[in-house]
Amino acid sequence: MLQVRARMLHSAREFFAARDVLEVDTPIVGDGLVVEAHIDPIPCQVRIGTGAAVARHLLTSPEGPMKRLLAAGSGPIYQFAHAFRDGEVGRRHATEFTMLEWYRPGFDHHQLMAEVEALVQSLVPRVAEMTFTRRTYREVFVAGVGIDPFATTLAELRAACERLAVPMPPDFDHGTIDDALDLLLVSHIEPTLGSPVPTFVHEYPASQAALAQVEEADGHDVAQRFELYIDGVELANGYHELADATEQRRRFEQANRDRLASGRTELPIDEPLIAALQQGFPACAGVALGFDRLLMIAVAAQHIDDVRCS
């Protein structure tokens, strides 16, 4: 497995070198975070010089530091980064994992989907000759559970969960429509995606934009965002990146309010990232791909621990 992993890393580096995308190596410890409502970082203590220890976090992704490089004029960049997420343990999850993240100035999310497809085809022989499909978020919900996610209610989503025997948390009726959509997506729709052909899902609701730009499509605001699935496994999450510092701060603050409402702790915002956006950020698209999961797909492994150097 060490040899297979090394060969895949080498092939990926050749892929990016041929496209003049520069490899970078950014810190894994930070005092500010890209705040997300449902992702928890791992706290740590760092002693600076002879002073007292200060609170920091192991980063959940290299996004903040990489975007600061983009704002400073780095051009297209990629990184194999160690990422850390508290409490994520399972067949496809680990508290520490390898994330392949890259950014392409001048690309939108459609162009980046094409590059993600080319990369995965070059690394996973069994999908090399396949043309990946692209389906909208609305299409997979209508096909999978008979619901239009842009025109539904919490009551309709509860009825769908009951009809499909999807277990609901005790506080279901106090959650948001997005929470309910995510429950149906993970439990009933995701397992069907990306088989027999890898599938990109795009045009997510604007309320799920995270760090993506928003556009109008078919009478609704949608996020310029995509996810890639193979055999029911989510492999990548990409955005046409938001470049508005004021809107980015608003979304981070909303994520913190959502965290407090769900019983989580508030997190410190990545202020250097906000400052970098204020100074000027290039129009670009970026994507994070779970490298361990991609390796699982390539070798038909059943558990993430089978492909990690642990």
Side-chain angles (χ1 to χ4, degrees), residues 69-92:
L69 292 179
L70 289 160
S74 67
I77 53 176
Y78 78 98
Q79 178 174 188
F80 289 99
H82 284 257
F84 303 84
R85 298 184 179 182
D86 197 17
E88 296 203 4
V89 178
R91 191 164 65 88
R92 299 170 183 164

Side-chain angles (χ1 to χ4, degrees), residues 19-300:
R19 289 160 174 77
D20 293 324
V21 183
L22 181 69
E23 184 171 11
V24 298
D25 185 10
T26 60
I28 62 172
V29 175
D31 55 357
L33 296 161
V34 172
V35 181
E36 298 189 60
H38 302 295
I39 295 179
D40 295 323
I42 297 176
C44 61
Q45 296 287 319
V46 177
R47 189 177 303 280
I48 302 174
T50 59
V54 295
R56 293 289 187 266
H57 291 90
L58 298 175
L59 297 184
T60 58
S61 86
E63 184 163 2
M66 291 184 76
K67 283 186 171 178
R68 296 200 292 271
L69 292 179
L70 289 160
S74 67
I77 53 176
Y78 78 98
Q79 178 174 188
F80 289 99
H82 284 257
F84 303 84
R85 298 184 179 182
D86 197 17
E88 296 203 4
V89 178
R91 191 164 65 88
R92 299 170 183 164
H93 296 83
T95 55
E96 179 183 0
F97 60 96
T98 302
M99 180 179 288
L100 170 56
E101 189 153 332
W102 75 97
Y103 293 88
R104 291 297 240 135
F107 276 34
D108 64 14
H109 55 304
H110 295 290
Q111 291 168 297
L112 190 56
M113 275 190 267
E115 186 164 74
V116 171
E117 180 174 347
L119 173 69
V120 174
Q121 287 172 330
S122 73
L123 298 180
V124 182
R126 71 179 179 87
V127 304
E129 303 302 320
M130 294 182 181
T131 298
F132 294 14
T133 61
R134 299 188 184 188
R135 303 174 67 191
T136 67
Y137 187 88
R138 170 185 269 158
E139 286 172 346
V140 300
F141 263 88
V142 171
V145 296
I147 285 177
D148 182 345
F150 293 93
T152 189
T153 65
L154 204 56
E156 289 175 340
L157 293 170
R158 167 179 271 281
C161 288
E162 291 173 346
R163 170 169 53 87
L164 298 167
V166 176
M168 290 175 285
D171 61 348
F172 181 95
D173 292 325
H174 299 287
T176 66
I177 285 178
D178 281 326
D179 291 334
L181 288 172
D182 193 56
L183 178 62
L184 280 168
L185 178 70
V186 171
S187 63
H188 198 77
I189 299 174
E190 276 191 354
T192 70
L193 295 176
S195 181
V197 177
T199 301
F200 288 104
V201 178
H202 62 106
E203 292 188 7
Y204 282 70
S207 54
Q208 298 180 29
L211 285 82
Q213 296 187 37
V214 173
E215 65 179 346
E216 191 275 335
D218 296 327
H220 298 279
D221 287 337
V222 300
Q224 296 182 355
R225 170 188 173 189
F226 66 84
E227 292 191 348
L228 172 63
Y229 290 88
I230 297 181
D231 295 339
V233 178
E234 183 222 324
L235 284 176
N237 187 13
Y239 306 124
H240 191 189
E241 299 291 345
L242 181 66
D244 185 318
T246 300
E247 173 62 12
Q248 188 62 82
R249 181 182 293 280
R250 186 196 69 78
R251 293 189 193 178
F252 285 161
E253 290 173 347
Q254 181 60 54
N256 264 328
R257 286 192 290 271
D258 293 341
R259 290 182 62 83
L260 291 172
S262 66
R264 287 178 161 89
T265 59
E266 187 175 3
L267 297 173
I269 290 172
D270 188 340
E271 293 294 346
L273 172 57
I274 299 296
L277 295 178
Q278 290 171 334
Q279 292 167 6
F281 186 75
C284 74
V287 61
L289 184 149
F291 185 76
D292 303 304
R293 288 187 181 183
L294 185 63
L295 190 53
M296 287 177 65
I297 295 293
V299 301

